Amino acid sequence: MLNVHDIAVSFGGEVLFEGISFRLNPGDRAGLIGKNGAGKSTLLKLLAGEMRPDGGTLAMDKETSIGYLKQDLEFRQGNTVLEEAYAAFGEIRELEATLEKVNAQLAAREDYQSEAYHDLMVSLSDLTHRYELIGGYRYQGATEKVLLGLGFEREDFDRPTDTFSGGWRMRIELAKLLLQEHDLLLLDEPTNHLDIESILWLEDFLRQFPGAVLMVSHDRMFLDQVTNRTIEISLGRIYDYNKPYSEFLLLREEIRQQQLSAQKNQQREIQQAERLIERFRAKSTKASMAQSLIKKLDRMERIEVDAEDTQQMQVRFPVSRQPGKVVFELQGVSKAYGDKQVLQGVDLLIERGSKIAFVGQNGQGKTTLARILVGELGHGGTCRPGHNVQLGYFAQDQAEHLDGNLTVEDTMLEAATEATRPKVRDILGAFLFRGEEVEKPVKVLSGGERNRLALARMLLQPFNVLVMDEPTNHLDIPSKNVLKEALGNFDGTLILVSHDRDFLQGLTNMVYEFREQRIKPYLGDIDFYLEQRQVDGFREVERAAPGKDSRQAPVAEPSQDGAEAHRKRKEKRSLKNRLSSLESRIHDLEQELAEIDHQLLMNYDQTIAQPDFFDSYQARKKQLETLMEEWEVVSSRLEDHA
């Protein structure tokens, strides 16, 4: 279907990647992974024909049709939902316009016996036949069916696309791709801005898709649910295995450990041979043996260990000054967009130091309330910030508002205060913008790099209350983990809008669920919330959440006979959530300790010179032991419930 051979791409003399080769066949559902800036989006653009490689070749079957979903959606201003969806049928729409012209010409003529009139009739017949052949009489019905299946109502069809949120606009683009029936789909972060309901639909569609799919995503669960192959771009080369993401990570580490072991054995063999050469070289009776060993070493193919990209952001959110005890007080807050009521009579008191998650389906008002809190949106009722409150706000589309013509450094300097201007270079370095990278124009950055820059820019202004709306969009998985650690260490008040359970886990101590214009508090972390909702994950919550016109069915109380079974199910669910949380924390600690061990190996003296290094190191190891012991206890209890 598509063959990629030895392609290379450079920007400004710097090699992004080279020697990239792979083949995509029908049935392949490949996840394209790698750190921000590794070249994932660039590779998709090459395959879609929007760029040309500096070297190598791309070959595909002549009949292969490619559908490309970009990170940044492009909609014609003023198009309605239906008009935008109809754009999937380019040839049909062109034929409609031509047929309209021919019919208008025929209606204006009366020379029915002339050759010109006869030619127009022949043209009309040919055009009508072609129109019927390519589905001209069916496409409108098919479009409406797909849009309705994706959650749109008929009254939405005539609404302009720019009145919809990013998630709903993504659904329109997905509808177009589905209607076009492509052979190969290239999807660049398709789950960004999508609620779980939309992600579930996309997962089902991609699993049933008969062609090939290559997708960039930082959503681990989505990749595991959909992919049967993983292609990683790392340090300019690729690693390609027929495994979904989580299995790929395990296999990559296993292979790397095997390489390390084989390399150590080879090094011992080489050292032994070199010692024998030195011993035999001076003896005439052994000279031929020495020469034989030298030739053997020259012919020996040195074992290489796959290089690891260990660069990570270093993020810390400092608190500007201490605010009053009450950070926000909301009374009777309401908000409507035209006839659509989003929030109604919301009362909310947020105290200093709270760590809050806003959860719920798209369109239920999470972003709306976040924007009300930071003063971006008018509303009914009152919203009063507390004494000494200084707000930091990261919007869903924060990175999209950066000026593409400015350099990375100028973007920072534009937002800096007199106090923070001298720190610009240090902050950029912490976010992996170093050396000549600070001179890059923003427009050439990847989506993840722009997000990193937008996060860095936030640190130039003082704040003690941080409101973040989907901050992990476009961030690679290691960067998500670093951001999570930084937010966990933030001493101020934190309000997070997110659909990412792994990211929220252990980060918040209060959850507000948005449903049917109201908010409902859950006085605990995200695992407590899921336990109270009696589900294993966000997917079940959002799948069961009421849609636009649905009504919540009454929930039957468990009978007396079933009470014990109900209690056991609830306890088992709680144990599963606890086990998942422990495994996540154990994984993070193991990574931290591995990084410290690596630093000790590479730079022992400087590493141990850090203040309280050994106390911190031992505390982490002790914490890991405690977590492992707790994991064994919880696992054992869970086995008893099997």
Side-chain angles (χ1 to χ4, degrees):
M1 179 179 282
L2 174 67
N3 191 44
V4 177
H5 179 67
D6 205 28
I7 62 171
V9 172
S10 301
F11 288 109
E14 183 179 340
V15 175
L16 182 62
F17 51 70
E18 60 184 350
I20 301 291
S21 299
F22 61 90
R23 180 175 177 81
L24 290 174
N25 298 305
D28 283 342
R29 297 190 301 277
L32 182 60
I33 65 169
K35 289 197 169 184
N36 295 142
K40 304 184 296 296
S41 295
T42 299
L43 182 56
L44 291 192
K45 288 177 183 177
L46 288 170
L47 302 184
E50 293 198 352
M51 285 179 60
R52 294 181 64 84
D54 297 322
T57 57
L58 296 167
M60 70 181 74
D61 301 336
K62 287 183 180 179
E63 295 78 18
T64 299
S65 169
I66 296 178
Y68 177 33
L69 182 73
K70 305 178 185 180
Q71 281 187 24
D72 305 315
L73 302 181
E74 297 174 1
F75 289 99
R76 188 174 298 172
Q77 200 70 23
N79 261 8
T80 65
V81 170
L82 210 51
E83 288 168 342
E84 188 64 37
Y86 285 162
F89 304 97
E91 185 181 358
I92 288 176
R93 300 288 279 177
E94 287 176 13
L95 276 174
E96 281 184 339
T98 306
L99 282 166
E100 190 176 339
K101 288 180 183 177
V102 171
N103 279 313
Q105 290 175 21
L106 286 170
R109 301 180 73 113
E110 295 183 358
D111 53 338
Y112 307 122
Q113 304 302 320
S114 69
E115 187 176 343
Y117 191 90
H118 176 264
D119 290 343
L120 280 174
M121 289 295 295
V122 170
S123 177
L124 178 65
S125 176
D126 291 343
L127 289 168
T128 302
H129 178 68
R130 176 62 182 168
Y131 184 75
E132 182 178 3
L133 193 65
I134 63 174
Y137 296 113
R138 301 190 307 273
Y139 83 96
Q140 292 180 336
T143 301
E144 291 185 11
K145 182 179 178 181
V146 169
L147 288 173
L148 290 169
L150 287 174
F152 290 94
E153 304 292 342
R154 289 194 180 276
E155 53 264 31
D156 294 329
F157 290 175
D158 294 323
R159 283 177 56 193
T161 57
D162 51 18
T163 64
F164 286 86
S165 67
W168 286 97
R169 292 171 73 177
M170 182 70 79
R171 294 188 204 199
I172 300 170
E173 196 67 16
L174 287 169
K176 287 159 64 177
L177 289 180
L178 174 57
L179 290 162
Q180 287 169 329
E181 298 181 351
H182 293 291
D183 304 302
L184 169 62
L185 292 180
L186 306 173
L187 308 176
D188 199 351
E189 302 204 39
T191 61
N192 275 357
H193 308 300
L194 291 187
D195 56 21
I196 302 299
E197 183 183 27
S198 310
I199 293 173
L200 291 170
W201 172 85
L202 182 57
E203 286 176 359
D204 289 340
F205 165 61
L206 293 176
R207 280 194 294 262
Q208 296 169 25
F209 182 67
V213 183
L214 182 63
M215 68 192 87
V216 174
S217 179
H218 301 307
D219 185 330
R220 182 173 188 150
M221 185 173 288
F222 177 73
L223 289 170
D224 282 341
Q225 290 289 327
V226 174
T227 61
N228 55 20
R229 179 178 174 187
T230 302
I231 301 173
E232 179 186 23
I233 304 180
S234 178
L235 300 174
R237 58 171 296 188
I238 67 166
Y239 302 89
D240 184 359
Y241 297 101
N242 291 322
K243 298 284 184 183
Y245 178 72
S246 293
E247 292 180 31
F248 165 82
L249 290 182
L250 293 173
L251 182 61
R252 277 273 279 122
E253 182 56 27
E254 183 182 324
I255 289 171
R256 192 171 184 279
Q257 291 303 320
Q258 290 172 355
Q259 289 172 339
L260 279 168
S261 178
Q263 189 185 58
K264 286 179 182 177
N265 291 335
Q266 188 183 62
Q267 287 298 320
R268 282 197 293 269
E269 185 181 341
I270 290 170
Q271 289 168 5
Q272 184 179 7
E274 288 174 342
R275 283 196 298 269
L276 289 172
I277 289 168
E278 285 300 313
R279 188 186 305 170
F280 296 156
R281 196 192 299 271
K283 298 181 180 179
S284 58
T285 57
K286 302 286 186 179
S288 60
M289 188 178 294
Q291 288 300 316
S292 176
L293 286 171
I294 290 170
K295 289 178 182 177
K296 180 183 176 182
L297 286 183
D298 289 341
R299 290 194 303 269
M300 185 180 289
E301 187 175 337
R302 297 301 196 265
I303 295 171
E304 293 185 0
V305 178
D306 293 343
E308 283 190 301
D309 189 349
T310 56
Q311 280 193 323
Q312 281 192 338
M313 296 191 305
Q314 298 172 346
V315 189
R316 181 174 172 270
F317 295 108
V319 173
S320 57
R321 61 184 180 185
Q322 187 82 329
K325 184 179 180 182
V326 175
V327 172
F328 279 111
E329 185 175 3
L330 282 66
Q331 292 181 330
V333 168
S334 300
K335 179 63 182 177
Y337 297 96
D339 296 332
K340 181 174 175 56
Q341 191 74 34
V342 179
L343 298 172
Q344 182 66 51
V346 171
D347 297 327
L348 179 62
L349 186 73
I350 299 176
E351 294 187 345
R352 180 181 64 226
S354 298
K355 301 291 189 288
I356 294 171
F358 286 176
V359 303
Q361 280 185 312
N362 278 356
Q364 294 293 323
K366 304 184 302 295
T367 294
T368 295
L369 189 57
R371 293 180 64 195
I372 288 172
L373 291 174
V374 300
E376 275 199 357
L377 212 54
H379 57 88
T382 59
C383 175
R384 287 189 294 270
H387 178 63
N388 272 350
V389 165
Q390 291 183 306
L391 283 164
Y393 178 47
F394 189 89
Q396 271 192 37
D397 57 354
Q398 191 85 16
E400 296 172 20
H401 294 300
L402 299 176
D403 187 339
N405 294 315
L406 291 179
T407 66
V408 168
E409 185 173 27
D410 287 341
T411 298
M412 294 287 284
L413 291 172
E414 182 186 56
T417 63
E418 189 175 341
T420 57
R421 183 175 286 266
K423 302 177 183 176
V424 161
R425 283 273 181 156
D426 290 338
I427 294 173
L428 283 174
F431 282 81
L432 304 183
F433 294 105
R434 296 164 185 154
E436 295 180 359
E437 290 179 334
V438 303
E439 302 300 329
K440 282 184 178 179
V442 170
K443 61 187 174 186
V444 306
L445 300 180
S446 70
E449 288 173 319
R450 289 190 192 192
N451 238 32
R452 289 210 316 260
L453 179 57
L455 284 167
R457 203 169 187 260
M458 280 186 60
L459 299 185
L460 297 170
Q461 300 293 329
F463 55 82
N464 48 33
V465 177
L466 187 51
V467 181
M468 306 190 86
D469 192 355
E470 301 289 1
T472 59
N473 280 351
H474 303 294
L475 287 184
D476 57 42
I477 292 170
S479 296
K480 279 187 188 182
N481 294 335
V482 172
L483 176 61
K484 179 176 179 176
E485 183 180 357
L487 292 175
N489 294 326
F490 177 55
D491 291 329
T493 305
L494 178 64
I495 300 169
L496 279 173
V497 180
S498 180
H499 291 102
D500 190 333
R501 174 186 172 178
D502 289 337
F503 182 70
L504 290 176
Q505 210 163 36
L507 199 52
T508 60
N509 53 27
M510 169 79 80
V511 175
Y512 284 98
E513 183 183 33
F514 286 64
R515 297 177 76 192
E516 299 179 327
Q517 306 169 19
R518 304 280 182 175
I519 64 172
K520 181 178 180 180
Y522 291 83
L523 305 177
D525 63 8
I526 203 68
D527 289 332
F528 174 79
Y529 160 72
L530 293 171
E531 180 183 332
Q532 293 297 301
R533 294 283 273 110
Q534 299 184 16
V535 292
D536 291 328
F538 275 3
R539 294 167 172 248
E540 293 175 59
V541 172
E542 300 208 16
R543 177 181 271 163
K548 292 182 181 179
D549 296 317
S550 61
R551 296 289 181 268
Q552 189 172 13
V555 180
E557 292 293 326
S559 66
Q560 287 291 332
D561 293 336
E564 179 61 18
H566 175 72
R567 185 193 65 77
K568 286 184 177 180
R569 283 197 301 272
K570 186 175 179 180
E571 185 176 354
K572 184 177 181 181
R573 193 178 297 114
S574 177
L575 288 170
K576 278 186 175 180
N577 289 336
R578 182 62 186 155
L579 195 67
S580 176
S581 177
L582 284 168
E583 287 172 347
S584 177
R585 291 166 65 190
I586 288 168
H587 177 264
D588 291 345
L589 262 178
E590 286 177 336
Q591 282 196 321
E592 284 182 39
L593 287 167
E595 176 62 24
I596 293 171
D597 290 339
H598 178 73
Q599 290 172 4
L600 280 169
L601 184 66
M602 302 302 294
N603 210 333
Y604 180 81
D605 292 337
Q606 286 188 18
T607 303
I608 65 171
Q610 296 172 11
D612 302 321
F613 168 77
F614 282 109
D615 288 344
S616 174
Y617 184 56
Q618 290 302 322
R620 282 185 171 90
K621 293 188 78 170
K622 183 64 178 174
Q623 186 182 3
L624 181 60
E625 289 175 14
T626 303
L627 288 173
M628 290 297 293
E629 289 171 2
E630 188 177 352
W631 182 88
E632 288 181 15
V633 172
V634 175
S635 295
S636 177
R637 288 179 60 191
L638 193 57
E639 285 177 8
D640 292 340
H641 282 74

